[in-house]
Amino acid sequence: MKKITLAALALSVWALSACDKFEYSPYEIRLKDDERQLNQKNIERIQQLNIPRNSQITFALISDTQGFYKDTEAMVAHLNKQNDVQFVLHNGDITDFGLLKEFRLINERLGKLKVPQVTVIGNHDAVNNGKQLYKEMYGPYDFSFTAGHSKFIFINTNGWEFKGEAPDLDWLDRELQDRDEYDQVFVLSHIPASDASFGSPEKLQRYHDLMEKYKVSMSIHGHGHSFDAYQLREGGTRYLNIGDAADKEYVIMRATNTGVTFDRVKIEGELGFK
């Protein structure tokens, strides 16, 4: 009888494990095949759009979905009504505590977007074992892709969580060296270069210098949980901070060969900012 009971228990554990319903620990990393390398999969979807170099690119910007599950659902439903949006870019803090369950809960909601979605790592995504989880689920911390006339560069700027190893500004400099090949270049990260957790004052200054040197079209960030748009000097790179999901808002950006405009969109209505 004892042997039968132990065998039944072992079989139950195996069955639960096999169907991914048994959680050994909230810190575990056990991904399904369709949960791996999501950024690269979505970049391939964007590239399959074959956006012409002489046409407008329209994309949406969201940030800080961390724990705001109902708000994220509402935002996704609203975005799905925007028929001209070609893809969505997420400026980090997908999660609050970097746990697999959180990544999955948000991915279930963002997975309902009708268009591809690409994300950069946030500081909350890098706590606990979130660094490894992000890398396995989304891919490299620093990466770029091109679409039509534009280049999109994503860089990890979570200096505190990566003990000063981020941001890798040498890598960013190399990524920007082909600037002249594109009409528009966008740099996206979570923490803006106005926050102490970005890094030393020297790193902050070098980042701003790179933006000006290469005439970056927009430097786009999250982290602050509120919308802000500004320039450090007239005619220079424009900086944009995206509000969080709890604000029930996002930004739609339109890039042409000659310029970039954007609208701040509230789910209850639209606030036009150009």
Side-chain angles (χ1 to χ4, degrees):
M1 185 71 177
K2 185 176 181 181
K3 288 183 179 179
I4 293 174
T5 303
L6 290 173
L9 177 61
L11 183 60
S12 298
V13 170
W14 175 85
L16 287 168
S17 175
C19 63
D20 284 331
K21 292 182 179 178
F22 189 82
E23 183 178 73
Y24 294 101
S25 163
Y27 303 105
E28 70 177 336
I29 298 177
R30 186 153 45 101
L31 300 178
K32 303 170 187 175
D33 287 343
D34 62 358
E35 293 177 321
R36 295 181 180 276
Q37 301 300 310
L38 297 179
N39 277 341
Q40 185 55 42
K41 290 174 181 175
N42 281 299
I43 288 170
E44 289 171 2
R45 289 177 62 195
I46 293 171
Q47 292 172 338
Q48 288 168 7
L49 297 173
N50 293 317
I51 300 172
R53 287 189 67 98
N54 62 348
S55 70
Q56 175 176 288
I57 301 174
T58 304
F59 56 95
L61 296 158
I62 63 175
S63 189
D64 297 87
T65 51
Q66 53 192 114
F68 303 126
Y69 301 116
K70 289 294 184 183
D71 297 322
T72 299
E73 287 177 5
M75 189 165 57
V76 166
H78 201 270
L79 274 164
N80 281 339
K81 297 175 184 177
Q82 302 285 358
N83 294 325
D84 60 336
V85 170
Q86 294 161 301
F87 50 90
V88 175
L89 305 181
H90 191 311
N91 276 86
D93 273 5
I94 308 160
T95 68
D96 216 0
F97 303 104
L99 301 177
L100 175 59
K101 187 171 184 178
E102 291 181 290
F103 278 107
R104 279 184 168 153
L105 286 170
I106 286 295
N107 278 330
E108 285 174 7
R109 288 150 177 81
L110 294 178
K112 293 178 182 178
L113 283 166
K114 295 192 297 186
V115 297
Q117 183 251 154
V118 181
T119 186
V120 71
I121 188 170
N123 62 308
H124 281 266
D125 305 322
V127 298
N128 294 311
N129 61 346
K131 293 177 187 176
Q132 184 182 349
L133 250 173
Y134 180 92
K135 186 169 282 189
E136 292 191 24
M137 184 172 277
Y138 289 97
Y141 304 133
D142 300 330
F143 62 97
S144 67
F145 73 88
T146 62
H149 52 63
S150 294
K151 184 172 185 178
F152 299 83
I153 302 172
F154 296 72
I155 182 169
N156 170 22
T157 55
N158 306 295
W160 285 355
E161 287 70 27
F162 284 81
K163 298 180 180 179
E165 294 180 5
D168 186 346
L169 298 181
D170 290 335
W171 175 87
L172 179 59
D173 194 344
R174 292 192 296 272
E175 282 291 314
L176 287 167
Q177 286 176 12
D178 61 356
R179 169 67 179 93
D180 291 342
E181 297 179 18
Y182 304 96
D183 295 320
Q184 310 296 343
V185 170
F186 302 91
V187 176
L188 297 95
S189 74
H190 182 63
I191 294 177
S194 56
D195 191 290
S197 58
F198 180 98
S200 66
E202 291 76 19
K203 280 194 171 184
L204 293 170
Q205 185 59 53
R206 186 181 177 196
Y207 181 89
H208 293 310
D209 290 345
L210 288 172
M211 297 301 100
E212 299 300 323
K213 175 182 177 180
Y214 291 104
K215 297 181 174 59
V216 170
S217 307
M218 298 283 295
S219 178
I220 306 168
H221 313 277
H223 189 60
H225 292 250
S226 61
F227 176 88
D228 195 16
Y230 58 96
Q231 287 176 290
L232 297 181
R233 69 172 185 83
E234 187 175 353
T237 293
R238 289 192 288 172
Y239 292 81
L240 191 65
N241 295 341
I242 308 301
D244 63 28
D247 292 335
K248 293 187 175 67
E249 70 173 52
Y250 55 89
V251 169
I252 291 183
M253 190 161 287
R254 297 176 176 86
T256 68
N257 299 98
T258 57
V260 179
T261 60
F262 62 87
D263 293 320
R264 182 183 175 192
V265 179
K266 280 280 191 181
I267 291 178
E268 295 81 7
E270 215 172 283
L271 300 173
F273 290 82
K274 296 288 187 180

